[in-house]
Amino acid sequence: MGWNEQIIREFRENNGRVGGMFEGVPLVLITTAGARTGRPHTTPVVCLRDSDRVVVFGSNMGKDQHPDWYHNILGTAQVTMETGTAEGRVKSFSTRAVVLEGEERDQLWEQQCSLDPAFRAYQEKTARQIPVIALHPLDLSADPSRNRLIGEQLLAHHRDLRAELARLRAAIDPAKATPGPEPAAAAQLRAHCLAFCYGLQLHHTREDGAFTEFERVYPHLAPVITRLRAEHVVVEQGLKEFEDLLSGAGAAGEVESVRVELERVVAGLEQHFAYEEEQLLPALHGDVG
Ligand SMILES: [Fe+2]
Ligand SMILES: [Fe+2]
């Protein structure tokens, strides 16, 4: 397990607290979509609370390059944030990232440097200006027209994932599969599979964050959310095993094992999508019941 993974694990197991060099430092975990691959990328970052929003800093410990997550945010502002809570466990939140500028940026930067002088030292090490980013949590109680839009996005993402899965199934159809794929064909198959895996992982990560807000605003949906979260965990475990299988794929006869494993992983996925749409869309459309 790498250093980052250890911090993430400790964070999740200890309600957002991490020892060692991060002892007493306010941290959040942020998950962004990889700019090139779309793969979910989770990293711990120091944060500053500012009213309802959470402010983070692209210090990269004073290196001359912005951190990867900052580039990811410039591509897609949708960020999943995990934080410790008063309930004693880490919760995940759907947020929208805004890169701050001008006086607002400078003021929050100064505040952070006063609280933690290491940040001033980071800025002195590099010529680039360290970015300051505000994470705005999703608020489903604020704007009904926005909720409707979120419902439409959910449907659009499901449609894209269904289409991607159909393409993948066609690519590994046993009727068309050759007994021993050429290395180039195997690489292409792997790329197809990974694109689907990353897309689905990202979709579920973002939904897990949005579910926290669903639970707050639509308490009658609590049993539904519990079931959906549990289904996400099952799919996530399956996808990890599938990725492991793909990392070794490429030899003769492996298309069949990829096909079998894929079907195992996505069994029940269609029902999951349908149940989610059936249960969540009426709430988003204002039909709370
Ligand atoms: Fe889901
Ligand atoms: Fe979904």
Side-chain angles (χ1 to χ4, degrees):
M1 194 185 288
W3 184 78
N4 220 35
E5 284 70 30
Q6 278 180 30
I7 303 275
I8 291 168
R9 190 173 179 173
E10 194 179 340
F11 182 99
R12 287 177 175 156
E13 286 174 356
N14 295 286
N15 192 27
R17 283 184 299 274
V18 176
M21 67 180 283
F22 289 123
E23 184 77 51
V25 177
L27 292 179
V28 288
L29 300 183
I30 55 171
T31 301
T32 55
R36 275 177 298 111
T37 60
R39 183 177 205 171
H41 176 264
T42 302
T43 188
V45 285
V46 174
C47 71
L48 175 69
R49 304 267 164 187
D50 182 53
S51 178
D52 288 343
R53 54 187 196 171
V54 171
V55 180
V56 295
F57 309 88
S59 71
N60 212 6
M61 299 176 100
K63 293 192 187 108
D64 284 330
Q65 300 80 30
H66 291 309
D68 289 345
W69 61 259
Y70 176 69
H71 293 289
N72 295 346
I73 280 176
L74 295 182
T76 312
Q78 214 178 332
V79 175
T80 305
M81 175 184 78
E82 291 168 74
T83 176
T85 66
E87 292 161 52
R89 65 186 172 89
V90 167
K91 281 191 173 182
S92 169
F93 296 83
S94 173
T95 76
R96 183 176 49 87
V98 176
V99 178
L100 301 180
E101 289 174 359
E103 202 178 318
E104 187 183 25
R105 181 245 168 231
D106 295 345
Q107 209 176 352
L108 287 159
W109 173 252
E110 276 308 315
Q111 199 180 330
Q112 179 61 20
C113 292
S114 315
L115 286 167
D116 187 346
F119 278 77
R120 204 178 301 282
Y122 294 150
Q123 184 61 87
E124 281 164 7
K125 279 170 74 178
T126 177
R128 72 182 171 96
Q129 186 184 59
I130 291 178
V132 178
I133 300 102
L135 302 175
H136 295 256
L138 171 70
D139 182 356
L140 289 175
S141 59
D143 179 358
S145 64
R146 188 166 151 66
N147 292 6
R148 194 169 283 274
L149 191 69
I150 291 167
E152 282 164 23
Q153 284 171 347
L154 176 92
L155 278 174
H157 288 152
H158 284 183
R159 200 163 45 235
D160 290 348
L161 288 164
R162 285 176 174 120
E164 186 74 38
L165 181 58
R167 275 194 295 274
L168 193 51
R169 279 182 165 137
I172 53 179
D173 185 336
K176 296 174 194 159
T178 49
E182 296 295 317
Q188 207 175 30
L189 174 65
R190 191 153 52 235
H192 263 306
C193 290
L194 287 178
F196 173 73
C197 287
Y198 296 163
L200 187 57
Q201 281 168 338
L202 189 64
H203 177 69
H204 281 181
T205 301
R206 287 173 170 172
E207 280 183 344
D208 286 338
F211 286 168
T212 306
E213 179 63 0
F214 272 88
E215 286 168 320
R216 185 182 76 84
V217 178
Y218 310 120
H220 69 288
L221 288 177
V224 171
I225 299 297
T226 300
R227 170 174 156 179
L228 291 171
R229 283 190 195 280
E231 288 174 359
H232 285 187
V233 171
V234 172
V235 172
E236 176 67 18
Q237 283 164 350
L239 286 174
K240 284 210 175 91
E241 287 161 26
F242 188 55
E243 271 187 61
D244 287 346
L245 175 78
L246 284 176
S247 65
E254 283 187 349
V255 168
E256 180 57 15
S257 60
V258 166
R259 191 185 66 77
V260 170
E261 185 64 10
L262 176 73
E263 290 306 322
R264 194 183 67 76
V265 170
V266 301
L269 196 61
E270 185 48 52
Q271 288 99 310
H272 173 80
F273 286 171
Y275 180 70
E276 205 161 61
E277 291 167 9
E278 175 196 302
Q279 298 292 327
L280 302 188
L281 293 182
L284 288 171
H285 289 173
D287 179 18
V288 178

